[in-house]
Amino acid sequence: MSTLPACPQCNSEYTYADGDNYVCPECAHEWPQQATEAAAEEVRVVRDAVGNVLADGDTVTVIKDLKVKGSSLVVKVGTKVKNIRLVDGDHDIDCKIDGVGAMGLKSEFVKKV
């Protein structure tokens, strides 16, 4: 049996595919199939060095000495970073570190506390 999505308007489970759209026979709502596939792909999971799933607001610990680009500062091993924010891009985490300031970190260099 196929696993078609429920109707986003009336939550009917009797939807069917019609060309490039899904159609609900109960409320006559139509929506594109690409929107459903794109929504499934949007969920991005960010994991730390150990494999724990990270979320906004988590507290992490740095597991490796990290040189701060453009300065002589170093973020030492064991530095605790509170209230992280996950972002898209090369660096997964935006945060503020005491003594260093705002910066971006890669999730592969932190461990969830």
Side-chain angles (χ1 to χ4, degrees):
M1 186 163 196
S2 65
T3 57
L4 296 175
C7 176
Q9 260 188 344
C10 69
N11 291 326
S12 171
E13 58 187 38
Y14 301 112
T15 58
Y16 62 91
D18 183 26
D20 290 338
N21 292 331
Y22 290 123
V23 179
C24 176
E26 293 184 0
C27 70
H29 179 65
E30 294 184 20
W31 68 101
Q33 291 181 10
Q34 294 86 6
T36 306
E37 294 168 1
E41 293 176 10
E42 283 182 27
V43 176
R44 181 172 171 245
V45 177
V46 178
R47 297 183 183 271
D48 66 359
V50 183
N52 299 321
V53 177
L54 296 173
D56 287 341
D58 282 346
T59 300
V60 295
T61 303
V62 177
I63 62 167
K64 177 182 175 183
D65 282 348
L66 301 173
K67 295 180 182 177
V68 179
K69 214 175 207 179
S71 84
S72 61
L73 297 173
V74 175
V75 178
K76 295 287 188 181
V77 172
T79 302
K80 192 179 273 190
V81 181
K82 299 177 183 177
N83 199 18
I84 65 170
R85 188 176 71 232
L86 301 179
V87 294
D88 291 332
D90 186 30
H91 293 75
D92 303 320
I93 300 170
D94 271 347
C95 60
K96 194 179 288 187
I97 299 176
D98 293 336
V100 178
M103 66 181 302
L105 295 173
K106 292 187 177 184
S107 59
E108 61 197 60
F109 298 121
V110 298
K111 183 173 86 171
K112 187 174 181 178
V113 176

